[in-house]
Amino acid sequence: MPIPSSRCLTISSGKAAGLVLAGALFAPLAAWADDDIAFDRPGIAFGTDVLAPGQFAWEQGLPDYSRDDSGGATTGQYTLDSRLRLGLGARLELQVAVDSYVWQHGDPRAHGGGDSQLALKWALPSSNDDFAWALLGTYSAGTGRAAFSEGAARDVGMSLAWSLPQGRGVGLYLDVGRGSDGTSWMVSPNYTLHDDGRWMTYVEAGFAGGAEHERQLGGGVAWHLRPKVQLDASLLRGLDAGSTDWQAGLGISFAL
């Protein structure tokens, strides 16, 4: 389930927190039971699965958190990021996401609503049972308070996932977007360490350039409480001075 949105890594394309802690590419690699749902949380990338026609899912940060020390000042943000998903059929899924509320401490202090997103996800056909891929087109509206808004942005992302024996998997996430600051891109490889259908652990790296700069490494865990309920936790560490120092996420996801 390595999302930037969500998504903790933040880039000008509007992947909210979200591109924190998000979801993600590792979840789809999991060998879920037939009644289970592959959620997009946690992790940088989004999952390759789409919901069944008419099926609804809600993925919620509880919250996600980021911390950055730069220029002698420390800034932290708690974000209640929400993502609603609806299966449309024809391998399509509609998503609506919003940073419902953001608390920022440090310099400056601020709080209020964040940007919102509208996205369409398409699970691409594959003739190989061990390979899945999907596209996600996103429009981010600059609806948030000025302190938290990146303005209007558009991006297109692709997730690719290869299943391996013994509950392991490897994936690659690619994204390019354009916002008010210019064009940005991201590449994120990931690896599923363990997946037994109930517990899933993964590691990932994120590299963003262009209008935004990120070099990050981290991982996370997801616990499938029930076939349609999941808890998750994730952590990303910035690797250089230009990257956000820490991004962490706690979340819950459920489907109807």
Side-chain angles (χ1 to χ4, degrees):
M1 319 191 231
I3 98 156
S5 311
S6 223
R7 351 251 61 303
C8 273
L9 236 61
T10 302
I11 61 176
S12 61
S13 61
K15 285 190 76 72
L19 281 149
V20 116
L21 311 160
L25 183 56
F26 289 107
L29 299 180
W32 306 114
D34 290 343
D35 293 333
D36 284 348
I37 301 298
F39 296 106
D40 281 355
R41 288 186 63 98
I44 295 174
F46 59 87
T48 57
D49 289 354
V50 296
L51 298 176
Q55 190 167 41
F56 172 81
W58 182 357
E59 305 185 7
Q60 179 65 51
L62 293 176
D64 293 333
Y65 176 73
S66 66
R67 173 191 171 99
D68 190 42
D69 299 312
S70 60
T74 300
T75 302
Q77 283 189 2
Y78 295 92
T79 305
L80 288 172
D81 59 295
S82 308
R83 181 170 297 269
L84 307 179
R85 302 168 55 191
L86 176 65
L88 301 178
R91 308 178 70 88
L92 292 172
E93 177 183 293
L94 180 67
Q95 299 189 359
V96 178
V98 60
D99 290 345
S100 306
Y101 210 79
V102 185
W103 293 266
Q104 179 172 289
H105 61 84
D107 186 16
R109 286 181 174 271
H111 61 87
D115 287 342
S116 55
Q117 299 176 347
L118 183 65
L120 188 65
K121 184 177 178 181
W122 179 31
L124 299 168
S126 173
S127 59
N128 186 340
D129 291 341
D130 294 327
F131 172 73
W133 57 331
L135 290 173
L136 183 71
T138 303
Y139 172 74
S140 180
T143 56
R145 183 174 173 178
F148 312 120
S149 178
E150 298 178 1
R154 298 173 177 82
D155 76 71
V156 177
M158 175 182 287
S159 283
L160 305 96
W162 293 266
S163 296
L164 301 176
Q166 300 178 338
R168 295 172 294 115
V170 63
L172 180 65
Y173 169 63
L174 307 170
D175 182 275
V176 61
R178 183 169 182 81
S180 57
D181 294 334
T183 300
S184 59
W185 56 266
M186 174 178 288
V187 177
S188 176
N190 48 68
Y191 183 73
T192 302
L193 299 168
H194 169 80
D195 191 343
D196 61 9
R198 186 171 177 83
W199 288 93
M200 184 272 298
T201 58
Y202 69 90
V203 292
E204 64 183 348
F207 307 93
E212 297 290 338
H213 174 93
E214 292 288 351
R215 301 290 185 269
Q216 298 182 318
L217 182 65
V221 59
W223 177 25
H224 236 49
L225 288 168
R226 296 180 180 179
K228 297 181 180 180
V229 181
Q230 175 189 277
L231 294 177
D232 67 76
S234 57
L235 183 67
L236 286 168
R237 170 61 172 165
L239 300 178
D240 60 20
S243 303
T244 303
D245 293 326
W246 293 99
Q247 296 184 47
L250 293 173
I252 185 170
S253 304
F254 63 89
L256 301 177

